[in-house]
Amino acid sequence: MESRIGVIGIIVENRREAAPRVNEILSRHAEIIVGRMGVPYREKNLSVIALIVDGTTDALGALTGQLGALPGVKVKSALARRLSGADPQRKGSDW
């Protein structure tokens, strides 16, 4: 199955309650997470997390589905796919 690279944005409302469950899910899917940035927004009692991911659509769907099923957690993703015939050594707009 083809691997896709993308960005997943997560907003965690009521972060004190939801954060442990979010982190548990992220840990279970660590093999597809390339990078993570999390910013707590204490004044609003929420957190914003940005993930850079690389995995199959099934693996990415499992991650976003599990996160989105949590109360108070909103998830959006944007995925790219390598164009056919793209050379991984070449720089430019092959993504």
Side-chain angles (χ1 to χ4, degrees):
M1 189 173 257
E2 185 176 335
S3 180
R4 310 257 325 245
I5 295 173
V7 177
I8 297 174
I10 307 162
I11 296 177
V12 181
E13 299 169 346
N14 199 355
R15 63 187 182 89
R16 289 192 180 123
E17 283 184 29
R21 293 162 72 193
V22 169
N23 285 322
E24 177 186 327
I25 291 169
L26 294 178
S27 292
R28 284 199 311 258
H29 295 274
E31 70 279 353
I32 64 171
I33 298 173
V34 176
R36 171 183 174 171
M37 178 181 66
V39 180
Y41 193 172
R42 290 178 185 87
E43 294 82 7
K44 303 275 185 184
N45 191 32
L46 59 85
S47 291
V48 179
I49 302 170
L51 301 176
I52 307 300
V53 292
D54 185 355
T56 65
T57 54
D58 288 349
L60 296 169
L63 171 59
T64 58
Q66 290 172 25
L67 290 169
L70 295 176
V73 177
K74 307 292 183 229
V75 181
K76 295 290 181 185
S77 62
L79 303 177
R81 165 171 70 104
R82 184 181 297 260
L83 300 173
S84 61
D87 178 0
Q89 301 300 318
R90 214 179 99 206
K91 303 225 187 248
S93 60
D94 289 338
W95 292 95

